[in-house]
């Protein structure tokens, strides 16, 4: 879930909206905001953007049918209002007539039809098709080439009225339209780009509150400079004069850069090991619990091909012993899906509750192991190794697990501490047996998170293949409003099948400098929304909340 760990008030902007600023007062409006971008944007075509840096820029230079507020709730974007039919399978969006592209031309319903259709067409290769636009009527059939693109359930009733029809009921669908694949795309401009749309400033036509400065606005490998889109006419006006997104080596001392008087940095992702220092300096920090660390099992390891062997390992974990040491900032968890995920606008973890974690006495786990080894035609376990991070807390956690397995299974495992980059590389290449590994969410949807365990997923690093799991996932995808039961069963199945055992949660952190307010940080590596970002010359008042 999202937390604001704040010693710096972030609610100042509404005060300025209501009261205004007299001449000579230290107004937060009209300032340049400097933000550290964690990498070079790969593609600013919304229908193809997939990396965190690209998605951050797209969010600020384009505007969809809706915008999301700090609670993830839909608010008017290009659409001033919307309505649905009684079963939430058809939505009608009414577009602002004054909505304009950055060149001054009108944004129309046809622009949304063209953009959404591009996301569905197989030749586009939209990387987030499944978790965004696949819910639209006939989208999957068009995507696999079995239906005509004209049958897509998206059409313009008139220049400012857009209708979107869905395959199944989805009451929270308006929130979905804030995602990049739903952004409008002007067909005429797109055609003139000759395949280079979104790759350079001159090949970008945007409709959001900001646009990329025409001259030297995007210096690859150095920065992206956003300025106000003078043709933007939304429900509100953006507060800053522009945003400088620096693409370079990250500052080693993020807190020091944010506190610097030369204002070299106004906001940035914050390493977990600098959280305490940021708090001590009174910085406003936003955190998202979007990662679950746990034990993953490589089912392609011969001994772990057997379900009973895997179950024996999970059932012999004494959590009181194992979790007596958790890395700094972590919290023990009984769920695989992290708390940040939502279902129909509600926190999934609160709806689903915790998993039924297995635990058996040593005599039972040893018998379960013996049964599994007998099915494999083996009398004993081979030498096995547990991968973990090479830091004291992670190694202590790993040794605690090894102690549990020695007691419960009568078998000693080696540990292999490695860097985070090596950990991810070895798991990705299948060069592991057991690993303490992070699962990070990149969207708010439980089904998207679980997709990495599906049999055909390219993200499946565990060699797991289960028709039952795949069926549950498909049913959850096809029944948005009744997905909870299917998702719960799928999550529990990962534990029961001995695929992933949850240990602790981890947060992602973002910090603002002491003179900065109202940057809307977003979970799942979607970066930040700078629409209401303000900056004063003097440090903002502090608070103990």
């Amino acid at each position: 879930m999202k937390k604001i760990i704040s010693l710096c008030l972030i609610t100042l902007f509404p005060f300025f909206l209501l009261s205004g600023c007299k001449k000579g007062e230290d107004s937060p409006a009209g300032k340049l905001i400097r933000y550290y971008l964690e990498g070079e944007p790969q593609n600013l075509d919304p229908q193809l953007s997939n990396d965190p840096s690209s998605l951050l820029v797209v969010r600020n230079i384009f505007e969809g049918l809706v915008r999301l507020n700090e609670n993830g709730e839909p608010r008017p974007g290009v659409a001033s209002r919307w309505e649905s039919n009684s079963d939430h399978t058809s939505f009608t969006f009414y577009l602002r007539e004054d909505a304009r592209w950055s060149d001054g031309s009108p944004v129309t319903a046809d622009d949304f039809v063209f953009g959404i259709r591009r996301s569905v067409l197989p030749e586009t290769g939209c990387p987030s098709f499944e978790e965004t636009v696949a819910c639209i009527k006939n989208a999957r059939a068009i995507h696999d080439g079995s239906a005509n693109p004209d049958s897509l359930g998206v059409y313009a009733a008139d220049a400012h009225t857009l209708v979107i029809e869905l395959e199944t009921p989805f009451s929270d669908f308006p929130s979905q339209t804030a995602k990049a694949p739903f952004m409008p795309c002007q067909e005429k401009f797109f055609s003139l780009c000759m395949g280079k749309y979104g790759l350079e400033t001159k090949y970008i036509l945007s409709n959001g509150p900001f646009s990329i400065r025409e001259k030297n606005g995007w210096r690859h490998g150095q920065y992206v400079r956003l300025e106000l889109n003078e043709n933007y006419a939304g429900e509100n006006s953006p507060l800053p004069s522009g945003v400088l997104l620096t693409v370079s080596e990250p500052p080693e001392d993020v807190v020091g850069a944010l506190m610097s008087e030369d204002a070299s940095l106004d906001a940035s992702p914050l390493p977990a090991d600098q959280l305490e220092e940021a708090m001590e300096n009174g910085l406003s920090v936003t955190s998202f619990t979007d990662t679950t660390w746990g034990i993953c099992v490589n089912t392609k390891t011969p001994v772990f091909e057997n379900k009973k062997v895997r179950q024996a390992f999970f059932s012999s974990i004494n959590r009181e012993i194992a979790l007596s040491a958790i890395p700094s900032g972590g919290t023990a968890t009984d769920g695989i899906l992290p708390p940040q995920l939502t279902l129909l606008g509600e926190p999934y973890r609160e709806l689903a509750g915790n998993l039924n974690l297995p635990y058996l006495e040593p005599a039972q786990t040893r018998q379960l192991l013996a049964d599994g080894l007998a099915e494999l035609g083996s009398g004993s376990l081979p030498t096995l190794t547990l991968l973990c991070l090479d830091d004291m807390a992670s190694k202590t956690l790993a040794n605690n697990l090894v102690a549990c397995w020695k007691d419960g299974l009568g078998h000693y495992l080696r540990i292999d501490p490695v860097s985070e980059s090596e950990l991810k590389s070895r798991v990705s290449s299948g060069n592991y047996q057991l690993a303490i590994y992070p699962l990070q969410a990149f969207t708010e949807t439980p089904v998207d998170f679980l997709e990495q365990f599906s049999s055909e997923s390219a993200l499946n690093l565990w060699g797991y293949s289960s028709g039952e799991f795949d069926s549950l996932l498909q049913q959850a995808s096809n029944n948005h409003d009744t997905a909870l039961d299917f998702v719960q069963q799928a999550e529990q199945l990962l534990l029961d099948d001995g695929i992933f055992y949850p240990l602790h949660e981890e947060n992602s952190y973002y910090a603002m400098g002491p003179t900065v307010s109202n940057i809307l940080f977003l979970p799942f590596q979607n970066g930040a929304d700078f629409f209401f970002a303000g900056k004063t010359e003097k440090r903002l008042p502090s608070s103990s909340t």
Side-chain angles (χ1 to χ4, degrees):
M1 44 195 320
K2 176 181 175 180
K3 301 175 184 175
I4 303 295
I5 310 171
S6 179
L7 295 180
C8 182
L9 292 177
I10 59 171
T11 55
L12 295 180
F13 177 62
F15 170 79
F16 285 106
L17 264 183
L18 294 172
S19 63
C21 292
K22 298 177 182 178
K23 186 176 181 180
E25 286 188 354
D26 191 3
S27 169
K31 308 293 175 56
L32 178 68
I33 303 296
R34 294 173 171 85
Y35 184 83
Y36 169 64
L37 206 57
E38 294 184 272
E40 169 74 15
Q42 299 301 304
N43 195 326
L44 298 183
D45 174 350
Q47 278 72 45
L48 290 176
S49 297
N50 196 42
D51 61 285
S53 295
S54 296
L55 290 170
L56 182 147
V57 177
V58 164
R59 179 174 291 277
N60 286 279
I61 67 173
F62 285 90
E63 185 170 76
L65 295 165
V66 307
R67 302 181 67 88
L68 299 182
N69 66 10
E70 66 277 8
N71 297 315
E73 300 163 338
R75 292 293 182 263
V78 175
S80 59
R81 61 186 181 91
W82 52 88
E83 60 191 25
S84 73
N85 62 357
S86 58
D87 66 354
H88 302 106
T89 56
S90 180
F91 289 79
T92 302
F93 296 87
Y94 300 94
L95 279 54
R96 299 193 322 266
E97 294 188 9
D98 59 355
R100 293 289 183 271
W101 290 100
S102 51
D103 67 355
S105 58
V107 177
T108 68
D110 284 329
D111 296 329
F112 281 95
V113 173
F114 183 70
I116 296 171
R117 182 175 293 181
R118 283 192 61 231
S119 298
V120 171
L121 292 174
E123 56 264 34
T124 301
C126 176
S128 55
F129 164 81
E130 190 62 38
E131 60 263 32
T132 55
V133 294
C135 59
I136 299 174
K137 184 177 180 180
N138 295 326
R140 284 196 175 92
I142 295 168
H143 193 66
D144 66 22
S146 62
N148 190 305
D150 291 337
S151 67
L152 184 67
V154 180
Y155 64 90
D158 58 45
H160 298 102
T161 306
L162 180 74
V163 179
I164 302 180
E165 299 172 340
L166 309 180
E167 289 282 3
T168 59
F170 190 2
S171 57
D172 196 37
F173 176 73
S175 296
Q176 190 87 337
T177 67
K179 297 179 179 178
F182 285 92
M183 296 299 118
C185 180
Q186 191 187 83
E187 184 173 7
K188 179 180 178 181
F189 180 86
F190 176 82
S191 299
L192 292 173
C193 291
M194 302 292 288
K196 298 180 180 179
Y197 183 64
L199 298 179
E200 298 288 349
T201 304
K202 63 181 178 180
Y203 299 123
I204 299 171
L205 182 65
S206 59
N207 73 314
F210 303 99
S211 58
I212 299 178
R213 177 183 283 183
E214 186 173 348
K215 184 177 181 181
N216 297 324
W218 186 2
R219 287 274 183 105
H220 294 280
Q222 298 182 46
Y223 64 81
V224 180
R225 176 66 183 266
L226 306 184
E227 61 184 7
L228 291 179
N229 175 6
E230 62 182 16
N231 290 300
Y232 180 77
E235 187 178 46
N236 296 296
S237 297
L239 197 65
S241 63
V243 183
L244 179 61
L245 303 168
T246 303
V247 182
S248 61
E249 287 297 316
E252 290 186 9
D253 182 6
V254 172
V255 174
L258 292 171
M259 297 295 295
S260 172
E261 293 184 3
D262 65 5
S264 60
L265 190 65
D266 293 314
S268 172
L270 180 72
D273 61 5
Q274 295 185 38
L275 174 63
E276 185 176 349
E277 182 184 1
M279 299 295 292
E280 290 174 350
N281 280 278
L283 298 182
S284 175
V285 179
T286 302
S287 71
F288 301 102
T289 312
D290 57 4
T291 301
T292 300
W293 284 81
I295 304 164
C296 64
V297 180
N298 186 354
T299 63
K300 292 184 178 180
T301 302
V303 73
F304 288 134
E305 291 178 357
N306 185 272
K307 179 178 174 179
K308 290 180 180 177
V309 172
R310 301 194 303 268
Q311 289 175 328
F313 271 78
F314 284 7
S315 298
S316 58
I317 296 173
N318 182 321
R319 290 179 69 82
E320 184 176 353
I321 294 173
L323 300 180
S324 61
I326 296 177
S328 177
T331 305
T333 181
D334 292 340
I336 297 175
L337 277 67
Q340 202 64 49
L341 302 184
T342 61
L343 194 63
L344 300 178
E346 298 294 327
Y348 167 75
R349 194 77 274 152
E350 293 181 13
L351 294 173
N354 294 323
L355 296 177
N356 296 315
L357 297 171
Y359 179 71
L360 299 173
E361 294 298 325
Q364 296 172 294
T365 54
R366 293 187 185 203
Q367 183 60 54
L368 185 60
L369 176 62
D371 292 344
L373 291 174
E375 291 177 2
L376 290 170
S378 175
S380 63
L381 284 173
T383 300
L384 295 172
T385 300
L386 173 67
L387 283 181
C388 69
L389 288 181
D390 190 13
D391 62 70
M392 185 57 67
S394 297
K395 288 187 287 188
T396 302
L397 173 58
N399 279 315
N400 288 349
L401 290 167
V402 168
C404 290
W405 290 325
K406 181 67 172 66
D407 181 58
L409 302 176
H411 187 85
Y412 181 78
L413 274 73
R414 299 183 301 191
I415 68 169
D416 187 2
V418 297
S419 66
E420 185 165 358
S421 60
E422 184 177 349
L423 174 68
K424 292 183 177 180
S425 174
R426 287 181 59 176
V427 171
S428 296
S429 63
N431 183 20
Y432 77 103
Q433 296 164 328
L434 293 158
I436 301 176
Y437 192 78
L439 298 181
Q440 184 172 18
F442 293 99
T443 77
E444 75 278 10
T445 310
V447 172
D448 298 343
F449 185 88
L450 292 172
E451 184 65 35
Q452 62 192 302
F453 292 97
S454 67
S455 301
E456 302 301 323
S457 173
L459 300 175
N460 188 335
L461 309 178
W462 348 101
Y464 182 54
S465 180
S466 166
E468 181 183 0
F469 180 85
D470 294 343
S471 176
L472 288 169
L473 216 57
Q474 189 63 54
Q475 291 180 80
S477 297
N478 292 341
N479 300 277
H480 292 281
D481 284 1
T482 57
L484 178 60
D485 184 53
F486 301 119
V487 174
Q488 285 177 301
Q489 292 181 59
E491 184 184 20
Q492 185 67 47
L493 188 61
L494 292 177
L495 186 63
D496 294 345
D497 279 355
I499 303 303
F500 191 88
Y501 183 96
L503 295 171
H504 65 89
E505 301 161 350
E506 182 181 68
N507 291 340
S508 297
Y509 299 101
Y510 299 85
M512 289 187 287
T515 64
V516 183
S517 61
N518 290 296
I519 295 176
L520 175 60
F521 294 108
L522 303 157
F524 316 116
Q525 295 200 10
N526 282 324
D529 186 329
F530 300 101
F531 195 102
F532 290 127
K535 184 166 65 173
T536 57
E537 297 300 325
K538 298 179 181 179
R539 185 184 178 110
L540 295 171
S542 62
S543 167
S544 58
T545 59

